[in-house]
Amino acid sequence: MELQLLVRPAATAPSSARARPSLRLPAPAAGPSRPRRPGFPTLRAAAAAAAAIAAEPETKEQQQNSIMETEVFACPVCYEPLMRKGPPGINLPAIYRSGFKCSKCNKSFTSKDIFLDLTVTAGTKEYSEQKPARTELFRSPLVSFLYERGWRQNFNRSGFPGLDEEFEMAQDYFQPVAGGILLDVSCGSGLFTRKFAKSGTYSAVIALDFSENMLRQCYEFIKQDDTLLNANLALVRADISRLPFASCSVDAIHAGAAIHCWPSPSNAVAEISRVLRPGGVFVGTTFLSSPRNNPFSVEALRPLRQIVGPVNTSYNYFTEGELEDLCKSCGLVNYSSKVQRSFIMFSGQKPY
């Protein structure tokens, strides 16, 4: 079993993951030598013995503990870190060739598809459940195909500034956590995932969505770019209300045009707050509650209805005050927002 090398910085890691204290002893003070007491080793001998102990190879139990402490993925059932069998790394080839297992409940997870399925129902054979219609809509192969081919561009009518400007705005918010791990939740077809991964700003980028077809479409775009295929980029299927990551393990979380689709925004933001490290940053965009500029209006969805049938438009829309109150109630601080007509980008930070 190989080790995942995603070690937390000492300033934010829990005590169980911190490095052992150094066994080196202080140098003797200058001055005349003192007679050695019988039965006691010299300082140099003690230091040599300590170094020998530190150099001893880790036992299997210690190696397993190291895996449990450094693997960013966690079981969605009990939130225990997953053990990995396979090559280390947060990248498509390594995860595809790896198997994952919970160290506590023994539930196994595989990436037999091009994404790692870390939902609670992963591996079930008989059980199935339906999510709200607004969630199921985005699991449609047709919607997944259309998302970057006209659907997302429609948001400009509501004040969304365009992909490049949205990306730069998010990057400004993420400056304090540059170099860390970023989750692009409800990533859809990976519009922003690819931009974050190609920016070189983050040690790893994880694209996360509940829709299998969105993740497949995301991969179709990724495989057209060799730099992305070899980047520290992974695709994960997960429920936004039960994120499969250890607490305090992620530096940045982005949710582009997503929160209005979530079945329970409060549960989702609480989960986001849980997995962020102290100082971590959450950035989201959505549509403000407004009778105008609604991209999910009857007229906007009429062409889609003609293809896929009735479409439920019961989305969650919020005021600026509601979004700020939601973030604060979930423990986030330093709330900030930028508004353009019905478009809002908002951000909160996990306290240190």
Side-chain angles (χ1 to χ4, degrees):
M1 183 174 295
E2 303 203 29
L3 304 185
Q4 174 59 268
L5 301 178
L6 299 175
V7 181
R8 301 186 180 96
T12 59
S15 58
S16 61
R18 291 176 184 159
R20 291 176 293 183
S22 172
L23 294 176
R24 290 180 296 174
L25 301 176
S33 59
R34 298 178 181 177
R36 186 173 47 168
R37 293 176 60 185
F40 284 81
T42 63
L43 194 60
R44 180 175 297 177
I53 293 172
E56 289 181 358
E58 288 186 327
T59 64
K60 288 184 178 180
E61 182 178 357
Q62 289 172 327
Q63 290 176 348
Q64 180 167 315
N65 288 339
S66 178
I67 293 171
M68 291 167 58
E69 290 171 0
T70 59
E71 180 64 71
V72 67
F73 301 122
C75 174
V77 177
C78 53
Y79 291 141
E80 289 293 317
L82 298 180
M83 298 182 293
R84 174 191 292 208
K85 184 175 182 180
I90 300 181
N91 58 73
L92 292 169
I95 291 176
Y96 181 78
R97 301 201 307 271
S98 295
F100 297 83
K101 187 174 184 180
C102 178
S103 58
K104 184 174 182 180
C105 70
N106 291 324
K107 184 175 175 67
S108 296
F109 304 90
T110 65
S111 55
K112 60 182 179 181
D113 213 325
I114 48 84
F115 54 84
L116 176 61
D117 192 342
L118 294 180
T119 58
V120 172
T121 55
T124 56
K125 295 180 174 60
E126 301 293 333
Y127 178 79
S128 63
E129 63 184 18
Q130 290 290 311
K131 293 289 185 179
R134 59 181 176 268
T135 301
E136 293 298 322
L137 173 66
F138 290 96
R139 297 179 71 185
S140 160
L142 178 61
V143 173
S144 301
F145 178 81
L146 293 175
Y147 191 75
E148 285 192 42
R149 298 173 173 90
W151 180 296
R152 187 56 164 75
Q153 289 81 348
N154 232 7
F155 293 4
N156 293 348
R157 294 174 22 179
S158 298
F160 276 65
L163 300 179
D164 292 338
E165 187 173 342
E166 286 177 54
F167 171 71
E168 292 301 329
M169 291 168 66
Q171 286 286 77
D172 287 342
Y173 277 121
F174 286 137
Q175 281 183 7
V177 291
I181 298 173
L182 180 140
L183 297 185
D184 188 18
V185 300
S186 296
C187 67
S189 56
L191 277 166
F192 290 100
T193 300
R194 303 194 298 275
K195 288 180 175 291
F196 287 127
K198 295 193 75 168
S199 72
T201 308
Y202 310 97
S203 59
V205 174
I206 300 173
L208 183 148
D209 205 286
F210 187 75
S211 168
E212 305 93 324
N213 284 308
M214 280 294 190
L215 291 169
R216 293 185 183 108
Q217 184 62 68
C218 184
Y219 178 70
E220 288 300 314
F221 287 119
I222 289 173
K223 72 179 185 180
Q224 296 172 19
D225 189 332
D226 289 341
T227 61
L228 288 174
L229 281 173
N230 297 309
N232 287 332
L233 170 62
L235 305 182
V236 173
R237 182 175 183 242
D239 187 337
I240 186 62
S241 293
R242 202 159 183 88
L243 292 173
F245 301 96
S247 297
C248 302
S249 62
V250 174
D251 302 276
I253 297 181
H254 174 261
I259 191 172
H260 51 272
C261 300
W262 295 344
S264 175
S266 59
N267 284 349
V269 177
E271 273 292 89
I272 286 169
S273 180
R274 178 185 68 81
V275 304
L276 279 175
R277 291 184 183 179
V281 176
F282 167 49
V283 174
T285 59
T286 188
F287 303 89
L288 289 174
S289 180
S290 169
R292 300 181 302 127
N293 301 321
N294 184 352
F296 302 105
S297 66
V298 172
E299 286 302 315
L301 290 175
R302 190 181 302 280
L304 186 63
R305 280 192 170 95
Q306 295 173 354
I307 301 173
V308 300
V311 177
N312 190 316
T313 58
S314 57
Y315 294 89
N316 297 304
Y317 296 109
F318 306 93
T319 65
E320 293 182 65
E322 286 175 324
L323 289 170
E324 181 175 2
D325 195 29
L326 173 60
C327 288
K328 289 181 176 179
S329 72
C330 293
L332 300 178
V333 298
N334 298 330
Y335 179 87
S336 177
S337 65
K338 298 174 183 177
V339 176
Q340 180 173 304
R341 302 209 313 268
S342 294
F343 163 82
I344 183 171
M345 176 176 283
F346 61 97
S347 175
Q349 187 175 36
K350 180 80 166 280
Y352 286 97

